[in-house]
Amino acid sequence: MLNEQTRTSELKRLRDQHVPRGVSNSHPIFLVRGEGARLWDVDGNEYIDFVGGIGVLNVGHNHPRVVQAIKAQLEQLTHACFQVGMYEPYVRLAERLNGIMPGQGPHKTIFFTTGAEATENAVKIARAATNRPAIVAFRNSFHGRTLMGMSLTGKASPYKQNFGPFAPEIYHAPFPYEYRDWSVERALDGLHDLFAMQVSPERVAAVIIEPVLGEGGFVPAPPDFLHELRRITEQHGILFIADEIQSGFGRTGRMYAIEHSGITPDMVTFAKSVAGGVPLSGVTGHAEIMDAPAPGGLGGTFAGNPLACAAGLAVFEIFDEENLLQRGQELAQGLLTAFQGFQKQYPQIGDVRGIGPMIGLEFVKDPATKEPAPEVVNQIIEQARQEGLLLLKAGLYNNVIRVLVPLVATPRDLEEALSALEKSLAAVLH
Ligand code: PMP
């Protein structure tokens, strides 16, 4: 059970008075410290963090190497703006990102600050490179909260609300989602229909797809689908953008989730875990495509800030030295075994799915009807917090619990977290 929430209540009043409700809070807590997979709040409560600031802390909270790298950079140069004067961490980090891009180079990387900016700029680059206007995104996707990000996103509530009109020339094709009867075949039929009825493929600059849906409920795109999509895009000269903002940086046991399929995208967008908690995003792609926009067309005042690039370089060192991909795979084993056990016990867990440690549990009222059970998910998340475990939901119907635990979680973290989840499931589902 948690401590009394005195400081929390005080700050909550301040929050309600001064901050709009549009930015909602999954957990009514105020955090003061993080380390590894643990967080502490203002009232001294300790939590195991299965959220990682929405997939940002794959190397864990305040990793000493990240902290050290930021401190060292801070004492030298905090900001310069790459468009004004260059600095080494930017080009060194670009070199590292080019090194992990699937497929034959040469590759180039440009940095931004947020994920939404990365997807925006991938679209700009694709249009510049192809001289075509249209973009095909997928239903149930999430690509950000800016005008282009919202327009690309395939979930209306709460992201789109009455924030339109949206950017033109964006089309949505169905995402293959086996559990909800969207087979690979059916999803591909949908894409062909789109090309026949709404936009001819010769007008399409790019498709943008999350190899594993993030906000959409941790649904992996089957390799068959990705291969066929790659074939179709090549056939029509359409660029293939993999949005790896949530699925990248070891979340699925590889640096990029698209690697599991073996296909080569033309561009990858990354953000979140790339810089261990500091805002940084970017786009990597084939040099020829990346060089399409003329000088001055891309950039941003804070884009690729020196502190963020220094942190990004530390993240790469951590992956190498701490064998994080391997650790993520081991973590995945433990999680999957436990979750499949829970599924046997509770028929309301309709589906357990994912790749590596990017795992989601989809809750339904009845496994026969598959009617989504968002209330149950809310109750489990509430209960788990009482037990000291922070969880986050996802999914078109808000009925999925997703796991974004830092890959540095220790066996003890895992054991305690699973025990908290087990108790919460028992309390809510009986
Ligand atoms: N794309 C994907 C796949 C994401 O998961 C997110 C963030 N959840 C974004 C884009 C947008 O990133 P940001 O919130 O940093 O703008």
Side-chain angles (χ1 to χ4, degrees):
M1 276 296 131
L2 302 179
N3 297 334
E4 212 174 323
Q5 309 276 291
T6 4
R7 274 295 279 149
T8 304
S9 309
E10 230 175 275
L11 292 172
K12 178 73 171 46
R13 271 198 299 279
L14 215 57
R15 182 256 183 269
D16 290 343
Q17 191 181 344
H18 295 291
V19 181
R21 62 184 191 142
V23 50
S24 63
N25 312 106
S26 303
H27 294 282
I29 58 176
F30 283 85
L31 298 162
V32 284
R33 192 164 79 81
E35 191 184 316
R38 304 249 169 182
L39 281 168
W40 288 266
D41 75 11
V42 284
D43 287 307
N45 296 300
E46 181 176 338
Y47 306 93
I48 300 172
D49 181 16
F50 263 38
V51 184
I54 322 194
V56 172
L57 276 314
N58 287 356
V59 300
H61 288 277
N62 281 44
H63 193 292
R65 287 193 90 108
V66 172
V67 172
Q68 190 46 46
I70 296 170
K71 275 188 183 161
Q73 184 60 47
L74 188 57
E75 281 169 11
Q76 294 296 318
L77 180 74
T78 314
H79 176 77
C81 186
F82 195 72
Q83 286 133 270
V84 176
M86 297 172 282
Y87 35 91
E88 184 168 350
Y90 190 115
V91 289
R92 291 268 174 227
L93 187 60
E95 185 182 26
R96 293 299 314 250
L97 281 144
N98 294 337
I100 61 165
M101 178 71 185
Q104 276 290 327
H107 294 124
K108 289 193 175 184
T109 292
I110 182 163
F111 293 112
F112 302 101
T113 310
T114 66
E117 271 182 289
T119 55
E120 290 260 359
N121 279 279
V123 168
K124 283 169 68 173
I125 297 166
R127 284 176 170 164
T130 58
N131 217 3
R132 298 176 180 187
I135 304 290
V136 172
F138 287 83
R139 295 185 197 161
N140 215 353
S141 64
F142 184 83
H143 298 290
R145 294 175 183 273
T146 56
L147 178 60
M148 177 55 69
M150 274 194 301
S151 305
L152 294 171
T153 291
K155 182 180 178 186
S157 175
Y159 306 125
K160 298 196 167 192
Q161 299 188 20
N162 50 348
F163 298 144
F166 301 106
E169 292 293 347
I170 309 291
Y171 301 87
H172 288 93
F175 190 95
Y177 186 173
E178 230 17 280
Y179 184 67
R180 298 253 162 229
D181 299 326
W182 282 96
S183 64
V184 168
E185 211 181 0
R186 212 177 146 211
L188 288 169
D189 283 348
L191 181 65
H192 291 302
D193 284 353
L194 183 80
F195 284 155
M197 295 184 230
Q198 301 208 48
V199 60
S200 69
E202 295 75 35
R203 283 174 52 79
V204 178
V207 300
I208 181 165
I209 187 166
E210 295 164 86
V212 183
L213 290 177
E215 304 305 311
F218 279 32
V219 186
D224 287 1
F225 180 81
L226 292 171
H227 277 274
E228 185 55 14
L229 186 61
R230 180 70 278 196
R231 194 194 64 72
I232 295 166
T233 51
E234 265 166 17
Q235 182 189 347
H236 297 290
I238 299 170
L239 299 178
F240 189 119
I241 306 168
D243 182 346
E244 294 269 10
I245 287 166
Q246 192 155 163
S247 58
F249 278 81
R251 190 71 253 157
T252 66
R254 301 265 184 100
M255 283 315 263
Y256 287 129
I258 198 76
E259 292 172 45
H260 294 278
S261 70
I263 72 137
T264 304
D266 296 301
M267 276 185 268
V268 153
T269 56
F270 57 84
K272 294 194 184 277
S273 272
V274 64
V278 186
L280 182 71
S281 71
V283 183
T284 302
H286 204 275
E288 222 174 283
I289 295 165
M290 296 299 289
D291 277 331
L298 304 175
T301 305
F302 288 114
N305 168 271
L307 298 177
C309 290
L313 286 166
V315 165
F316 270 98
E317 283 172 22
I318 296 164
F319 267 92
D320 290 345
E321 285 169 21
E322 299 187 14
N323 218 356
L324 266 203
L325 294 181
Q326 178 62 32
R327 281 173 72 180
Q329 296 280 17
E330 287 160 17
L331 204 56
Q333 283 295 317
L335 289 167
L336 201 61
T337 309
F339 293 165
Q340 284 167 345
F342 295 151
Q343 193 184 20
K344 284 205 184 89
Q345 223 174 325
Y346 301 108
Q348 297 98 319
I349 303 178
D351 198 21
V352 175
R353 58 172 180 253
I355 310 181
M358 187 167 186
I359 309 177
L361 298 102
E362 177 154 0
F363 287 77
V364 290
K365 292 187 178 150
D366 173 348
T369 63
K370 297 185 183 174
E371 188 187 340
E375 312 79 18
V376 162
V377 162
N378 284 339
Q379 285 165 21
I380 293 167
I381 290 175
E382 278 299 309
Q383 187 65 37
R385 190 178 63 254
Q386 301 299 322
E387 302 285 346
L389 171 65
L390 296 183
L391 296 171
L392 192 65
K393 62 186 167 188
L396 192 59
Y397 310 107
N398 300 310
N399 65 328
V400 176
I401 290 179
R402 55 174 145 173
V403 175
L404 288 165
V405 61
L407 305 175
V408 293
T410 62
R412 198 181 128 223
D413 293 333
L414 188 62
E415 195 184 310
E416 283 181 30
L418 289 172
S419 149
L421 180 57
E422 192 171 15
K423 280 190 210 152
S424 310
L425 292 173
V428 175
L429 303 173
H430 324 295

